[in-house]
Amino acid sequence: GQQLNQSPQSMFIQEGEDVSMNCTSSSIFNTWLWYKQDPGEGPVLLIALYKAGELTSNGRLTAQFGITRKDSFLNISASIPSDVGIYFCAGQSTSGTYKYIFGTGTRLKVLA
Amino acid sequence: DADVTQTPRNRITKTGKRIMLECSQTKGHDRMYWYRQDPGLGLRLIYYSFDVKDINKGEISDGYSVSRQAQAKFSLSLESAIPNQTALYFCATSDSRRMNTEAFFGQGTRLTVV
């Protein structure tokens, strides 16, 4: 099935560092979503992006909807231990079916 | 209370058994989805429903069936469970009345087939 290319797959960072991850697709999307999943829990929505070029922030998180509508990135500034988890991107297709396509996730580990 | 509730949270079942996973939502959303999560594969769509009695196959529907008898409830059944159906299962909802929509997830059901 169709999936987004999300990178990196995993990363270790020092507390206080900035983090960047991205997703790319061969398809155009109407909406880009970024989720965080803690162990044993369901994905929780962090940021939703609706227009090409849109840049949106949520606290220390910033995400952008790529101008080509085929990519998006998420930045986390000044990481803290509770940022640990798996981050997923998701795109909503333009085909009219309104299905969500998910990336394979970026596993973030923060070293105190 | 969670807006999207899945039951059970954990289940161990034997090969060949029939099992049902339940999902209920209080968000008033019309669209509901069932996803499966396996390590390294992200979330894959099993079935989705855009309204009561509307059922659509996702990318990995073989071995599964669903029922949408009410707007707030969407159940997933494994007719004859097999070990490779061991996974995390998530229900999600979205609202078609909004032009741009987000999916909201339940807390998941961890299913183990032995």
Side-chain angles (χ1 to χ4, degrees), chain A residues 56-108:
Chain A
T56 298
S57 293
N58 177 8
R60 293 179 296 107
L61 278 60
T62 301
Q64 186 160 30
F65 193 142
I67 197 71
T68 65
R69 296 168 65 192
K70 293 183 179 182
D71 63 307
S72 177
F73 72 76
L74 174 70
N75 288 339
I76 305 173
S77 63
S79 58
I80 59 178
S82 62
D83 289 335
V84 165
I86 303 176
Y87 292 80
F88 290 100
C89 62
Q92 187 177 39
S93 70
T94 60
S95 66
T97 62
Y98 301 99
K99 292 189 291 184
Y100 300 91
I101 310 298
F102 283 84
T104 51
T106 295
R107 185 179 295 274
L108 182 63

Side-chain angles (χ1 to χ4, degrees), chain B residues 29-76:
Chain B
H29 289 173
D30 52 343
R31 295 178 175 170
M32 298 187 74
Y33 311 79
W34 275 104
Y35 287 90
R36 168 178 171 159
Q37 185 177 36
D38 297 278
L41 293 178
L43 290 152
R44 293 182 293 166
L45 184 62
I46 307 173
Y47 272 96
Y48 61 103
S49 168
F50 285 170
D51 204 346
V52 175
K53 301 295 177 72
D54 175 68
I55 302 294
N56 304 282
K57 290 184 177 180
E59 56 184 305
I60 54 165
S61 58
D62 288 348
Y64 301 95
S65 62
V66 291
S67 175
R68 183 92 184 271
Q69 296 296 328
Q71 187 181 55
K73 296 184 184 296
F74 193 34
S75 60
L76 175 72

Side-chain angles (χ1 to χ4, degrees), chain A residues 37-48:
Chain A
Q37 184 179 20
D38 291 323
E41 301 295 330
V44 174
L45 183 68
L46 299 174
I47 292 179

